[in-house]
Amino acid sequence: MKITFCGAAESVTGSCHLVTTKNYKILLDCGQFQGNKETEAKNLEEFPFDPSEVDFMLLSHAHIDHSGRIPLLIKKGFRGTIYSTDATADLLKVMLMDSAYIHEQEAEWQSRKNLRAGKAPAEPLYTCKDAETALQFVSPVLYGQYLELAPGIHAVFNDAGHILGSSIIELFIDEGEGETKLVFSGDLGVKGRPILRDPTVIKKADYLIMETTYGNRARDKGGDRIETLIDIVAKTVKRGGNVIIPCFAVGRTQELIFEFNRYYEEHTRYKELLDHVPFYVDSPMATSVTEVFRRNAQVFDDETKEYILKGDNPLDFKNLKFTRSSEESRFLNMDSTPKIILSASGMCEAGRIKHHLKHNLWDAKNSIVFVGYQAEGTLGRSLAQGDKDVTIFGEKIHVNAEIYNLEGFSGHADRDGLLEWLGSFEKKPVAVFLVHGEPEAKKTFASSAKMALGCNCIPITAVSEYELSKDALLSSREIKKNFTEKEAEVHEIRQRTAAVHRQMEQILYNANLAIDEKTPSKKLKTLQNYLLELEKSTMNFGSALIQEEPEE
């Protein structure tokens, strides 16, 4: 048996892992790469496998970084069955159609730009018609259902507690020499969160593929996150400002609606003030997703079910308003009334949130509150780490608004939560493959898991393949891309430059390494070395792009 890591190997997006047995190929997730232009360019690259040879796909959940290339997979020849939970299948209808619409709009915009420059029109990654076709391959299953994929291959979907329908997948493979059990964590949720159940505890695995989004961070356990958010809202509204919350349409939006609903019912603090503050969900997709949540109450946790049995709608309250049309969205930035606006996307890379940031970032009365992970290279990451000038729709915007980063609302388990879940295994896996995390997060978590639990963790750092037996990891190799000589040179320089950027970011934005008049000269020397390396890499990068003049 082999595992090929085809995505989420170098970052937190593009989840895609291929399991190859003697007779079958099984794909775990097929997600889109999200972030800066260089990261998103990976979506245009060929898959490191032939999609037509894949027999089945198991989808952990509906987030686009796990599902967003499914239509492309089918365009390239996949004709197998896609298995997911029934709730994930419902969400996928909304997510893929929205993603396809964005690709079509971006291609249309780029085509107009290309035509003015005398270039060929741009093609979308996939179309709405492609997304509709992809949905026909989806076969819903229930949590806990023992699913036979083929003779000797079975799967079980367990609740991951991350978003509605999210799953930890158990894959049982018998190739005639005894059964091997592979577990794929998907994205793990946080214990004790509203609406969703806690992540399922798994007792045994021979091999484990595990996410590490927050593998190097433990969240502040002090205080109440909704109380903190309410304080920010009250402070902002009192000075006449707006609270803008970039929010993922699936999961965080519904959780915040639930939390505000409960707060309005159970608390009197700021009641007179908050009773008059409108709360807008400005995202057609978030509106549709909230309706999907309401239709899937069977997978809610006990607390949420109790609310429903009492006759309360946990995803509604008197101040809540949903906007669908672009006209309604534009009005929010024309209206001077203090308000709360939740809008997608959560990392500020697309959608209506960019318009709200453009109209609100410059004004010191307003507040921007991040409630989820901000990937490297995104606008959200720039704002969360303190950049004072950003560019939105080609316009430079100076940041005067207050910026808050409430990681306590994230739907991902933090380092301690990941260690607790991993520590529940009664039989330690032969190897734990760490994916879906930035390099430092994976490296740090591997060390923590080794020290605390004695687990053999392997941080995946590139598209790579591992050959396994039931009891031992037999071999591994990195899958090299077929570059031309010049492309290889440019690729190497890009990798070096990106590494230097990460190191500089650690120095500049890590509170423990903040540079001031007391900073030891050793740290300053380290920063100087990184600056010199970056300068050298940038010069080399420019040289590599220069084309030789043809001889006359």
Side-chain angles (χ1 to χ4, degrees), residues 413-426:
D414 67 358
R415 179 198 64 205
D416 295 343
L418 293 173
L419 285 172
E420 181 182 351
W421 184 78
L422 180 56
S424 298
F425 280 77
E426 295 174 356

Side-chain angles (χ1 to χ4, degrees), residues 102-115:
I102 290 172
H103 286 305
E104 286 185 343
Q105 293 297 304
E106 288 179 345
E108 183 180 332
W109 175 83
Q110 187 63 47
S111 291
R112 290 198 298 268
K113 187 175 179 181
N114 286 0
L115 290 172

Side-chain angles (χ1 to χ4, degrees), residues 116-412:
R116 289 194 295 269
K119 299 179 181 179
E123 292 291 331
L125 188 66
Y126 52 84
T127 66
C128 290
K129 185 176 180 180
D130 294 328
E132 288 176 353
T133 299
L135 293 169
Q136 298 173 16
F137 289 79
V138 178
S139 179
V141 300
L142 300 174
Y143 281 131
Q145 179 179 341
Y146 192 67
L147 180 68
E148 183 176 16
L149 302 179
I153 302 179
H154 299 81
V156 177
F157 288 73
N158 305 277
D159 202 330
H162 173 60
I163 65 168
L164 189 77
S166 60
S167 302
I168 301 162
I169 298 172
E170 296 175 284
L171 188 58
F172 303 86
I173 299 171
D174 190 342
E175 298 184 279
E177 300 175 354
E179 189 175 75
T180 300
K181 181 180 178 183
L182 171 68
V183 173
F184 174 40
S185 74
D187 284 353
L188 292 169
V190 182
K191 290 177 67 175
R193 284 296 171 80
I195 305 179
L196 302 178
R197 295 181 294 223
D198 291 347
T200 303
V201 172
I202 306 296
K203 295 296 184 181
K204 297 179 180 179
D206 295 302
Y207 294 95
L208 171 63
I209 303 172
M210 184 176 179
E211 70 117 322
T212 52
T213 308
Y214 283 99
N216 61 340
R217 281 185 275 178
R219 297 194 194 93
D220 182 11
K221 302 297 190 294
D224 187 317
R225 60 203 180 116
I226 187 62
E227 292 279 356
T228 302
L229 180 55
I230 292 293
D231 285 341
I232 294 169
V233 170
K235 177 182 175 182
T236 306
V237 169
K238 284 178 181 177
R239 63 180 182 236
N242 298 320
V243 178
I244 309 299
I245 306 178
C247 203
F248 296 101
V250 183
R252 298 297 71 71
T253 293
Q254 292 73 34
E255 184 178 341
L256 283 168
I257 291 172
F258 180 94
E259 292 279 26
F260 270 86
N261 174 40
R262 184 165 60 178
Y263 190 90
Y264 280 129
E265 287 191 354
E266 299 177 1
H267 296 77
T268 57
R269 194 166 67 102
Y270 302 128
K271 180 173 177 55
E272 187 174 339
L273 176 69
L274 293 176
D275 276 349
H276 302 286
V277 179
F279 185 111
Y280 293 97
V281 175
D282 185 36
S283 166
M285 185 169 72
T287 302
S288 298
V289 166
T290 303
E291 292 169 0
V292 173
F293 265 69
R294 290 168 178 162
R295 294 198 303 268
N296 282 273
Q298 76 277 4
V299 298
F300 289 173
D301 64 9
D302 292 339
E303 178 188 20
T304 309
K305 288 178 181 176
E306 283 183 23
Y307 268 82
I308 295 171
L309 290 172
K310 291 176 183 176
D312 185 14
N313 183 345
L315 296 175
D316 196 12
F317 54 91
K318 65 179 181 180
N319 296 47
L320 181 63
K321 305 175 189 293
F322 289 91
T323 61
R324 280 195 179 272
S325 71
S326 55
E327 290 77 12
E328 290 175 304
S329 180
R330 282 194 292 268
F331 173 76
L332 298 182
N333 290 317
M334 297 167 59
D335 177 28
S336 61
T337 305
K339 64 187 76 67
I340 304 167
I341 302 174
L342 263 70
S343 189
S345 71
M347 297 184 194
C348 310
E349 284 299 292
R352 295 179 179 182
I353 188 61
K354 295 182 76 171
H355 293 276
H356 296 309
L357 291 173
K358 176 182 174 181
H359 287 277
N360 286 274
L361 276 172
W362 61 270
D363 192 338
K365 296 195 303 293
N366 302 324
S367 295
I368 315 298
V369 184
F370 291 100
V371 292
Y373 184 81
Q374 302 303 309
E376 190 174 0
T378 62
L379 174 59
R381 179 70 162 259
S382 296
L383 292 169
Q385 69 188 13
D387 287 5
K388 298 305 293 182
D389 293 286
V390 295
T391 300
I392 302 176
F393 300 127
E395 181 178 342
K396 183 178 178 181
I397 308 292
H398 185 69
V399 180
N400 290 313
E402 286 192 297
I403 307 294
Y404 298 90
N405 192 11
L406 303 186
E407 289 187 345
F409 279 101
S410 174
H412 287 270

